[in-house]
Amino acid sequence: SILRGDDISANITSGLGYYFGSMIFDEEFNYDFPSQEYKYNLQSTTEPRIGKIGYHIGAGIEKRLFSRIALVVDVIYRMVIFNELKGDTKWREKVTEKGSSGETSGEQINQTLWYGTYQWQGNTYSRAVFDEEKPEWLKDARPFKLGLDGLVLRGSIKLSF
């Protein structure tokens, strides 16, 4: 504690933590060319799991409400960036052409999430895709980074035993 009164105290904190989580990326593409009697459908799901050590620094105030109960308010700045997201992709593809259709499915292990831009019909678009290797069709493709840096305002009740 840096400040202490009868019922209130202030503190400064710093440390590190392990941040982990998972996400689900669902994608679906549909192409329909009636003049050629051709339909295409692709569905894929990728579930990356992420984990990284991050740092935090902050300050807080503790207000004692009763002899063993206190209200605590902290402001903490967290610094953590996930540099590479990897996951397994499951996909299903269905093609219908001139009345007959076929379906295939599969799984690709340990895919990296890539981010870049591509051009189509004179326009530039941003895109993130999972692939084993750097996609050549994405201009300036690079591994996707996810930053969780930011301020956290935390309020809690402290019980002392």
Side-chain angles (χ1 to χ4, degrees):
S1 284
I2 57 172
L3 170 70
R4 188 140 186 101
D6 288 339
D7 292 338
I8 195 165
S9 63
N11 60 58
I12 295 175
T13 184
S14 68
L16 55 97
Y18 186 75
Y19 297 88
F20 61 93
S22 64
M23 297 181 236
I24 297 175
F25 289 86
D26 285 326
E27 288 188 297
E28 183 170 3
F29 297 101
N30 287 299
Y31 302 100
D32 190 358
F33 300 99
S35 64
Q36 300 172 8
E37 297 181 45
Y38 179 84
K39 289 183 181 181
Y40 176 81
N41 174 265
L42 173 67
Q43 296 174 340
S44 68
T45 300
T46 307
E47 297 185 30
R49 289 155 299 287
I50 52 178
K52 175 111 185 219
I53 292 178
Y55 307 96
H56 60 268
I57 186 167
I61 295 177
E62 181 177 314
K63 167 78 170 125
R64 190 174 6 188
L65 302 174
F66 302 102
S67 63
R68 296 181 181 235
I69 299 174
L71 174 66
V72 180
V73 177
D74 294 311
V75 176
I76 297 171
Y77 184 76
R78 174 184 57 215
M79 298 162 279
V80 60
I81 295 177
F82 297 105
N83 292 322
E84 200 171 276
L85 280 76
K86 289 186 173 278
D88 301 339
T89 300
K90 294 178 182 176
W91 55 272
R92 185 185 66 78
E93 180 179 59
K94 184 177 181 181
V95 177
T96 304
E97 189 170 13
K98 298 187 190 228
S100 64
S101 64
E103 190 171 307
T104 57
S105 61
E107 184 173 9
Q108 295 168 297
I109 308 296
N110 207 27
Q111 302 285 295
T112 299
L113 183 59
W114 298 92
Y115 177 78
T117 58
Y118 70 97
Q119 295 222 324
W120 188 64
Q121 295 183 342
N123 296 315
T124 301
Y125 299 94
S126 298
R127 180 93 165 108
V129 296
F130 281 94
D131 207 331
E132 289 177 41
E133 298 176 7
K134 181 179 177 178
E136 296 299 322
W137 60 274
L138 276 180
K139 184 179 179 184
D140 61 325
R142 59 205 174 273
F144 188 88
K145 291 184 180 182
L146 177 63
L148 296 180
D149 294 3
L151 282 174
V152 176
L153 176 62
R154 179 176 64 186
S156 58
I157 302 291
K158 180 178 176 182
L159 304 175
S160 301
F161 297 99

